[in-house]
Amino acid sequence: MLDTIIQRKKEELKSLVLPELRPVDKRSFLHALTTPNRVVGLIAEVKKASPSKGIIKENFHPVEIARAYEKGMADCLSVLTDVSFFQGHRDYLYEIKQHVDLPVLRKDFIIDSIQIEESTRIGADAILLIGEALEPSHLKELYQHAMEVGLDVLVEVHDQDTLEKVLSVITPRILGVNNRNLKTFETNLHQLEKMASIISPDTLLVGESGIHTNEDLKTVQRYGAKAILVGESLMRKENHTLAISELYGER
């Protein structure tokens, strides 16, 4: 699946037209996660669909969802902008930035520097770089480029081999361990446990995917996660604010 998505992304980039530069407030994604509202920080994801689950939210209103997450004291937002596989759009991110005061991650498959320019123009505060999608040297180039233009970067890996390759070229400020295998889309919550010991204590560790309950949250926290990225389990609830409280065991 990842290979299919990346191939499509390469085709899309051939006809990419950059939007006009839009004035938006810049916010620090990293600072929000290092000073979270709870013991474990929350990146709450605005996501309509996924390749593995299909439509997650039929009645999809991204700004309303983002506002509900903010009311539930999420620390940051993640907004899907991939159109072909996740039914996202870059306009969703810009619209959310007009109505919510949280830092926003652009969740997409970034493989070219032009997407970094695009990300700054639509108001992203951070971007995602996926270790399994990029050669280490290319990931380093994109990482440095993003940092130079004022974007925070969430570097994501799934397996230890990829992690070691990433760590051979950079020490990410923020590292996400995706419990979902992006080739098969199978989820194993204990993926993070396997890799936590080789991650620098200076790196903020984020647990991603497969986190549905307060017990799941406690599990990844025990493995060393300082923050979590949660999409599907929050998106499937009617009340997104209440869903955050339930995830954190507050109700």
Side-chain angles (χ1 to χ4, degrees):
M1 178 58 71
L2 179 61
D3 294 339
T4 301
I5 292 172
I6 296 302
Q7 190 56 46
R8 175 71 66 86
K9 194 63 60 175
K10 289 177 180 178
E11 292 298 318
E12 291 174 358
L13 288 179
K14 293 177 182 178
S15 57
L16 175 65
V17 177
L18 288 172
E20 293 295 318
L21 182 62
R22 301 169 176 180
V24 289
D25 293 335
K26 293 297 292 182
R27 303 160 194 160
S28 173
F29 195 81
L30 177 63
H31 178 73
L33 293 182
T34 53
T35 57
N37 292 316
R38 300 174 177 87
V39 175
V40 177
L42 174 63
I43 307 166
E45 191 155 87
V46 179
K47 177 166 67 173
K48 181 178 182 179
S50 78
S52 60
K53 303 291 186 178
I55 298 292
I56 295 170
K57 193 75 171 179
E58 288 281 359
N59 191 22
F60 183 72
H61 301 288
V63 172
E64 291 180 13
I65 294 165
R67 281 173 162 166
Y69 284 156
E70 183 175 41
K71 186 178 178 181
M73 296 197 305
D75 300 289
C76 300
L77 301 176
S78 167
V79 179
L80 266 296
T81 60
D82 174 77
V83 177
S84 299
F85 295 91
F86 289 85
Q87 298 190 32
H89 200 281
R90 66 189 187 186
D91 286 348
Y92 294 162
L93 192 153
Y94 179 71
E95 290 163 6
I96 286 170
K97 280 292 294 272
Q98 307 311 298
H99 296 92
V100 176
D101 292 328
L102 301 178
V104 180
L105 168 79
R106 181 190 183 185
K107 186 80 172 289
D108 210 316
F109 297 84
I110 306 291
I111 58 173
D112 191 279
S113 59
I114 195 171
Q115 292 168 283
I116 294 176
E117 174 64 23
E118 180 188 27
S119 300
T120 62
R121 291 190 180 207
I122 63 175
D125 300 296
I127 60 166
L128 176 74
L129 293 178
I130 302 172
E132 276 77 13
L134 299 161
E135 289 296 322
S137 59
H138 191 200
L139 186 147
K140 180 181 179 180
E141 290 173 6
L142 295 176
Y143 183 91
Q144 292 177 335
H145 182 182
M147 297 290 284
E148 287 166 2
V149 299
L151 292 171
D152 286 319
V153 182
L154 172 59
V155 177
E156 175 184 296
V157 299
H158 170 70
D159 62 40
Q160 186 165 329
D161 180 58
T162 303
L163 173 60
E164 290 172 352
K165 289 177 180 177
V166 168
L167 295 181
S168 72
V169 294
I170 60 169
T171 302
R173 294 182 180 180
I174 313 171
L175 181 81
V177 174
N178 193 342
N179 298 305
R180 177 173 290 114
N181 185 323
L182 290 180
K183 295 186 181 297
T184 65
F185 272 72
E186 295 176 353
T187 301
N188 176 5
L189 198 61
H190 303 289
Q191 195 68 18
L192 190 147
E193 180 183 20
K194 302 174 185 176
M195 295 183 279
S197 63
I198 64 171
I199 296 169
S200 168
D202 295 328
T203 295
L204 190 142
L205 182 58
V206 181
E208 302 177 23
S209 299
I211 301 167
H212 298 278
T213 66
N214 182 246
E215 191 58 40
D216 294 337
L217 187 156
K218 290 177 179 176
T219 297
V220 296
Q221 180 185 13
R222 190 166 64 248
Y223 296 156
K226 300 298 183 185
I228 54 174
L229 190 154
V230 184
E232 182 186 343
S233 65
L234 297 179
M235 288 298 306
R236 290 194 183 278
K237 300 292 181 65
E238 284 300 315
N239 186 324
H240 302 298
T241 302
L242 180 60
I244 291 175
S245 295
E246 291 174 345
L247 179 64
Y248 279 85
E250 297 165 352
R251 290 176 183 264

